[in-house]
Amino acid sequence: MQCFQNGSEIEITGVAEFDLARTFECGQCFRWNADAGGAYVGVAMGRATRIRKDGGSFYLVGTLEDFEGIWRSYFDLDRDYKAIRCALCIDDYMMEAAKYGAGIRILRQDKWEALCSFILSQCNNIPRIKQIIEMLCRLYGEPVEFEGLTYYTFPSAEKLASQSAEDLMPLRCGYRAPYILEAARTVAGGLLDLEALSAGKAGDALTALKELNGIGDKVANCVILFGLHMLDTFPVDTWIRKAISENYGKSFDPSVFGAYAGLAQQYIFHYARNGKKAV
DNA sequence: AAACAGGCCTAAA
DNA sequence: TTTAGGCCTGTT
C-alpha cells in the first residue's frame, strides 16, 4: 500500500479486497452514505470525509496526517483480506458466501460508538437504526463542516450521560433509550473501560458488557467484533442463526473459522440477506 | 389489520 | 435450560 497527497485528497494505491459498497452496507456501520457518484461520505472518529474508488486507486478527502493517524487503521488497510477470505473458503457454502462478499473489510470503529449503536440496533431495521443515530448525533454530537455542509460527530459517552430520558424522546428509540443512558453513564463514570476490554480477552469483554441492562449475547458480540476489533468473534442474530441451521445443522461451532470467524460471519450475513438462499 | 424488525428481560415451566 | 410474552416505534 502506498499513499500520497493528491490535491485535497489522499490517493491510496495497492489496496486489494476493498469494496466500498459491501464494506459500508454489510451492516457493521451506520454513518456512511453513498452519493450519486458511488463515493461514500461518512463521519467517524470525529472527522467527516469522502472516499471514492477510481481505477485502481482510492481517494480519501483529508490530510496525510489524518490518513496515517485515523483512516489507515479505521479501514484496516494493513491486513491481507484476500488471504483471509481464501482461508475461510472451507466448503462449498463458504466459497459462495465469500465470493459474494469479497471486498468486505471489518472497520476499526470507535468503541463507544459501536456499543451505543448496537444497543440501538436491537429489534430494528437498518434504515431506522441510521435515522435514530443521525438524530442522536445532530442533537448531542459536535458539528463539523465538510464540503460546505454541517455534519455531526457521534456524541461522547460523557455528553450522553448528562442527558435525561426526556431529552432522548426526539430519537424515537423507545425502550432502548434507558439502555443507552445506562451505557453512557457506566462508560463515562469509568465503571466500564472499553479500552481495557480491548486489551483483554473476548470472554471477559462479553461478561463485562452483558452486565449492562439491554445488552445480551448478540449486541455484546457485535461490540466485541466491530468495536473492540476482535476478529475471531462470531455474533449470532436471526439471519445468521437461520443460515447456519440451514447449512450446518444445529451443532455448529464457529471456531472452525478460526481467528477470522468474524469476517466469515459478515460474509454469511451479507450473503443470507442480499444473495441467494442456502445451497 | 396484525405481524414483524439484525434483541433483551422477566416469569414460568 | 428452554419458552412465551411484552416492549417503543415504524413499516408492510
Side-chain angles (χ1 to χ4, degrees), chain A residues 25-117:
Chain A
E25 293 176 14
C26 67
Q28 64 175 316
C29 57
F30 305 101
R31 302 210 67 205
W32 290 92
N33 296 292
D35 68 11
Y40 278 81
V41 177
V43 185
M45 317 306 286
R47 304 279 199 286
T49 191
R50 172 188 302 276
I51 186 168
R52 65 190 175 91
K53 185 176 188 182
D54 189 2
S57 293
F58 292 89
Y59 298 84
L60 177 86
V61 176
T63 65
L64 205 52
E65 184 182 4
D66 275 355
F67 176 78
E68 290 295 348
I70 295 175
W71 304 113
R72 183 172 185 152
S73 161
Y74 181 82
F75 292 115
D76 206 17
L77 293 178
D78 293 302
R79 197 182 304 275
D80 185 353
Y81 274 76
K82 184 173 184 180
I84 299 167
R85 174 167 58 82
C86 292
L88 289 173
C89 291
I90 60 174
D91 55 29
D92 289 345
Y93 177 69
M94 281 308 296
M95 284 184 63
E96 285 298 313
K99 181 180 175 186
Y100 189 81
I104 293 177
R105 304 179 82 89
I106 309 277
L107 302 172
R108 197 182 298 269
Q109 301 184 62
D110 176 77
K111 299 170 182 63
W112 155 247
E113 178 173 340
L115 171 57
C116 191
S117 296

Side-chain angles (χ1 to χ4, degrees), chain A residues 35-275:
Chain A
D35 68 11
Y40 278 81
V41 177
V43 185
M45 317 306 286
R47 304 279 199 286
T49 191
R50 172 188 302 276
I51 186 168
R52 65 190 175 91
K53 185 176 188 182
D54 189 2
S57 293
F58 292 89
Y59 298 84
L60 177 86
V61 176
T63 65
L64 205 52
E65 184 182 4
D66 275 355
F67 176 78
E68 290 295 348
I70 295 175
W71 304 113
R72 183 172 185 152
S73 161
Y74 181 82
F75 292 115
D76 206 17
L77 293 178
D78 293 302
R79 197 182 304 275
D80 185 353
Y81 274 76
K82 184 173 184 180
I84 299 167
R85 174 167 58 82
C86 292
L88 289 173
C89 291
I90 60 174
D91 55 29
D92 289 345
Y93 177 69
M94 281 308 296
M95 284 184 63
E96 285 298 313
K99 181 180 175 186
Y100 189 81
I104 293 177
R105 304 179 82 89
I106 309 277
L107 302 172
R108 197 182 298 269
Q109 301 184 62
D110 176 77
K111 299 170 182 63
W112 155 247
E113 178 173 340
L115 171 57
C116 191
S117 296
F118 281 96
I119 289 173
L120 291 170
S121 80
Q122 68 184 252
C123 209
N124 250 334
N125 54 50
I126 289 177
R128 192 154 89 96
I129 299 166
K130 293 177 75 166
Q131 188 180 327
I132 290 170
I133 291 174
E134 285 315 305
M135 181 64 72
L136 176 67
C137 295
R138 199 164 72 75
L139 288 178
Y140 302 114
E142 299 295 326
V144 288
E145 303 299 321
F146 180 67
E147 297 181 338
L149 296 175
T150 302
Y151 295 83
Y152 293 88
T153 64
F154 198 90
S156 67
E158 290 74 15
K159 180 63 182 278
L160 193 56
S162 67
Q163 310 307 317
S164 68
E166 293 72 41
D167 294 329
L168 298 189
M169 291 297 279
L171 301 184
R172 313 288 302 162
C173 69
Y175 61 83
R176 305 161 193 83
Y179 296 163
I180 62 173
L181 278 184
E182 180 186 332
R185 288 165 182 162
T186 308
V187 170
L191 274 67
L192 183 66
D193 186 342
L194 296 171
E195 292 297 332
L197 291 187
S198 76
K201 296 187 188 311
D204 294 335
L206 183 69
T207 303
L209 288 166
K210 283 175 67 177
E211 285 180 21
L212 290 176
N213 208 9
I215 299 192
D217 283 298
K218 193 274 178 180
V219 168
N221 281 131
C222 282
V223 175
I224 292 168
L225 174 58
F226 302 124
L228 305 187
H229 209 72
M230 293 179 178
L231 301 183
D232 58 338
T233 302
F234 191 90
V236 176
D237 53 45
T238 56
W239 289 92
I240 292 291
R241 180 168 288 111
K242 183 163 177 284
I244 290 297
S245 72
E246 286 175 355
N247 293 283
Y248 295 110
K250 289 201 70 175
S251 60
F252 170 77
D253 183 352
S255 66
V256 299
F257 295 126
Y260 294 100
L263 186 59
Q265 190 267 10
Q266 284 294 279
Y267 289 149
I268 295 169
F269 180 74
H270 186 244
Y271 187 56
R273 284 200 68 203
N274 307 313

